Structure formats: C-alpha cells, structure tokens
Amino acid sequence: MTRLLSRPVSQRVQWQLEQQGLHPLLARLYAARGIRARSELDYDLASLLAPASLTHAAEAAVLLADAIAANARILIVADYDCDGATACAVGIRALRAFGACVDYLVPNRFTYGYGLSPDIVDLAATRQPNLIVTVDNGIASVDGVARARQLGIATLITDHHLPGDELPAADCIVNPNLAHCDFPSKHLAGVGVIFYVMLALRAELRARNWFAESSGRREPRLATLLDLVALGTVADVVRLDHNNRVLVSQGLQRIRAGRLTPGLRAIFRAAGRNPAQASAFDLGFMIGPRVNAAGRLADMSLGIECLITDDEGRALNIAQQLDALNRQRREIESGMQEQALIQLTAATAALDASPAAAGVALFDTDWHQGVVGIVAARIKEKLHRPAFAFARGEGGEIKGSGRSIAGLHLRDALDLVAKRAPGLLLRFGGHAMAAGVTLREIDFARFQELFAQVVDELLAPADRTRTLETDGSLESGYLSIATARLLEAEVWGQGFPAPLFEDEFVVESQRILKDKHLKLRLRKGAQRLDAIQFNFDQAPGATMRAAYRLAINDFNGVQTPQLMIEHIESRSV
C-alpha cells in the first residue's frame, strides 16, 4: 500500500521567499523543504564551510605537505564505487598539481573485497609507498593499518563511513562522523572529504611559501575538481545538506559551462547527454552508473583512468568501454531480477503471513557479486522493506549488499545482529540507507531469520507503509517546458527531494511499451499531456490520481513536456 502525503508549506515563509525574489513555484517548493530565507540558497564557493573546521584536516595537510617536501611516495587506496573513483581522481589530480609523487591502487572487489585489508597493504607494499592515503574507506581497517605499521608505512585515513567501536591506529584520520568531530556537515561523501583535505593542504603549502614566485611552482585552482566532487556526491546518494548543495551546484555550473574534465565530458558523450543541460539527475542516473559499472563487473581502475586522463581520445575510448560495461550490467541485473521474482513471491507471502518478516534477505548461487546492491534496491522498492541480496564469494563465504527504507538505520541493524550472534558476521559496514556484509554460506538462514527479527524490533509500524511526499497540485500554467527547465536547473537529491506533484487526470489512451512500461495520454482540464510510468504494476481506469515529476521528452529534436509517473490511484467514473 502506498500513501500520498502533501508536504506542509508555511504560507508566510513562501510569501517571504517570493518577496526576496524567488520564482513563486520555487518559493513554495523551498518553503516545503525547510528553507526560511533566500540566503540558504546561496551556493557561492564562499558559502562552503571552512576546511579548518573539519577535524584533523589540518593535521592531514601537514602529513601530506611533509611527504611532498621529502619527495616521499604516496599511494592512494580507493573504494570501487563512483564515490571512491571520483575521490581517487580528486586526490591524484590535486596531489600531482602540488608536485607530489603519487599513484593509486583500487582493490578488485572479487579478489580482495572492501577496504584497506592486510592483503591490500601487502599488495600496496610492492609499490614501496612511504604513505598510504585511503579515500572513501579505511575507517574500519584496524588490521590493515596495523599491518601497514608493521611494514613501516604511514597511513592517512579519509573516509565518511560510520566508525565502529575501535578506530584504526592510523597516523591521521579525517572523517566528519568521528565522535569528537564538530564539523557541521556530517554528510560529506568520500570525495567531499578528500576535497576538503586538499583545500587544507593547499593552505598549508601556502603557509610554507610552496608557491612563492621564486619556486617556479604555480598554485593550482582546486575549483577545477568540482565536477568530480559533484558527481561523487550525487552518485553516493548522501544527504544534500547546504554544504553538499554548494559542492554539487558549483560542479554543475562548471559542467554546464563546458569546464569539465576530459573523462567526464567523454562519459556524457557516451551516455548521449548534453553537458550544457546537465542536472543532478544526469549525474545520479546516467553518468554515475557508467563509472560504477567498472567496479561492478571489471576493475574500477578503468573508471579512475577515465577521470584522471587529460587525453581526450583516451578518455573517449575508456568512456565507450564503460558504456559497454553498463549495458552488460543491465543485462545481468535483468536476469537476476527475474530469478529474484520467484524468491520475492515467497518473501511477499512471508510478509503477509508474519509481521516478523520485516526485513528481507535473499541469496542465489548464480547471482553476480557486482550487481547484488542493485537487486537489493529493487527488492526494497518492490516490498518497501529493508533488503539484502547475497552472492557467492570464495572460501565458503557469501557477500551481501543491503538497502534500507526511512526509519531503519541499516548499519545499526547489522551492529545489533553482530552483538546478538557473535561471529555470525565476518565483516560489515556502511550507512543508514546502504550497507554491506560478509558471512559464511552455511550461516545464511540464521542471518535471514535474525535480520528479520532485528528489523521488526527497530522499524516502527508507521514506517512500514510506503509514503510518497508530494508538493500538491501543479497549476496548469506550470505544466510546461519552461517550468521543467526551471526545476532541472535547481539542485535536488537525497534529503532535498526533487519536486513530486499529484493531480487528477482523465486517461484518454494508454498502451504498454516493451512489456513493462505504461505510456499514457492524459487530460487535465483543457490541457493534454503525455506521461510514462516505468515498470508499472497496474493500469489505471478512465480517471486516475497520479504522483508525478515534470520532465522534458526530446523526440526527433522536438521537445514537449512529459509527466514521469511514480504512483497511480484509479478513480471510479
């Protein structure tokens, strides 16, 4: 069951925003998202929180500056998703611009798994680094850091994942989610953390007169990296608080102006998207998945190489490989979803029969490790329950990726499972909405049962009903391309949702595309509109109430407004 709920709007705040010069529709939308003054929508770089306010960023800058001055070898160890790839690219590009001797290593997820493990440290040691810098990982790498210390390698951890009970004994840790960190923006992505460290490093090098005229060194403009910061931030689905919206807005401005890295330009081209019209949607659903495909099916080094090369031809060649991998990923995912539907039927029956089955865990021996996260997301969307999907690993282990719904912190749920069944979870970590876990295949049934029990305890009954928050009705005069462009130009994302409207329509025609998408011709008053619902589960009657987003349909060079339907409620005539 899905419930539509209109966001409350303070008429007084809406009026004040209009008086401050905001478009009336934007004033209404922003008032519903807690904006009280237009100054909260100031996305100039000067609005960024100061790098010095991020705990240990200054100490990290000293560590890096000393390494650069000594010509020490720095090795970045990255994660294998889009956030990790962009974070690595930001670190490589910035450090090389500062004159550092730096290279990178990204673990193959199928061979080494996640994070700075002892095995990864041993592999890194073959490069003879003096300093290992992690990006988007490392906060749980207690054993890996200990191994690096044994080998005499210094470590700098930059991460944004939630810390466990024990922190690694690294030379320095920068993470906004450390218990003693007062940095106001707790939702920085991994790429945001390393970007802040690079800002702090530049300040430290300035203080050392590193860029003095007599040195012959030019001070790099770190703003040139904001396209990568925006991509990683949106792709990692972190909460877009004001600070993150500044980063994304600045990155999108650069992309739209054509000031983007060659690799990103090439991926836009491979995806058939125009950078001049780039939106957060493009970053999250068109560009991000193509970078992620490298880590899911092959080696994320391919994605990183695309983002760090300045050779336009090489960038386009790699972007085409990433596009091909993404198509392959979609085919694998489609097959896995068909297999999952069989298990989902049983899971749905279990949910109907027992409220204890509030959390779902599925496992198939034929599933691909690189795609289980996407399958978990589909299960979560279909059942509106926290869900894990597992694939077979090596040595009798299985690896699961989970997605949650509002009301349940997934990593906290795993922590409780681990406390109740010591030794059941071999490794786990993650965020409120996404997490990963490794366990023995023989323990899957036990995990399945215990996870369902824990979720049932932690998830409030009200959160088990799917709720779509809408922005109410959209006046007929706003159902236009101009309005769609107005909305696309703004920054929307996790925690700052894109506008979703609801209205009643007369259904003039409907047909099914590719056996799964519903194409509609709708009428509201005297206005007629095209609409589409992807992966629909029920067709409407003669009239319907729909929750929808306003978009632009570009067909053969002709642009028309189109409604992207997210939910349909049929109405009797």
Side-chain angles (χ1 to χ4, degrees), residues 292-446:
N292 269 326
R296 293 189 185 282
L297 301 186
D299 185 343
M300 184 47 89
S301 296
L302 191 66
I304 294 171
E305 284 298 316
C306 188
L307 299 178
I308 65 175
T309 184
D310 289 322
D311 185 317
E312 299 276 357
R314 183 164 188 262
L316 184 57
N317 179 269
I318 298 176
Q320 290 168 344
Q321 294 180 59
L322 294 175
D323 187 60
L325 283 170
N326 192 52
R327 289 196 300 271
Q328 183 184 350
R329 184 271 304 170
R330 287 199 300 262
E331 292 172 2
I332 294 172
E333 176 195 339
S334 177
M336 288 171 61
Q337 284 192 66
E338 290 178 8
Q339 298 167 16
L341 281 174
I342 299 172
Q343 296 192 45
L344 280 175
T345 301
T348 303
L351 285 169
D352 292 339
S354 171
V360 179
L362 302 178
F363 165 57
D364 192 291
T365 57
D366 294 327
W367 283 356
H368 193 290
Q369 284 185 42
V371 190
V372 287
I374 300 174
V375 172
R378 301 290 186 263
I379 297 169
K380 181 261 297 185
E381 291 165 5
K382 186 173 182 65
L383 298 181
H384 190 65
R385 291 290 190 271
F388 271 93
F390 283 83
R392 180 171 279 167
E394 296 179 351
E397 295 181 355
I398 59 175
K399 298 181 179 181
S401 185
R403 299 294 183 269
S404 192
I405 61 175
L408 182 93
H409 194 297
L410 198 56
R411 188 196 174 282
D412 286 354
L414 289 178
D415 189 54
L416 186 54
V417 169
K419 286 181 170 63
R420 291 187 177 176
L424 175 64
L425 309 187
L426 301 179
R427 293 177 294 279
F428 72 92
H431 303 286
M433 303 305 289
V437 62
T438 300
L439 49 106
R440 300 174 190 86
E441 186 172 332
I442 59 174
D443 289 333
F444 172 71
R446 187 180 176 206

Side-chain angles (χ1 to χ4, degrees), residues 197-218:
V197 170
M198 293 301 102
L199 290 173
L201 174 57
R202 184 176 62 180
E204 174 65 22
L205 291 173
R206 282 173 179 167
R208 299 185 182 197
N209 293 317
W210 187 255
F211 307 111
E213 188 173 345
S214 59
S215 71
R217 306 184 191 98
R218 295 184 60 185

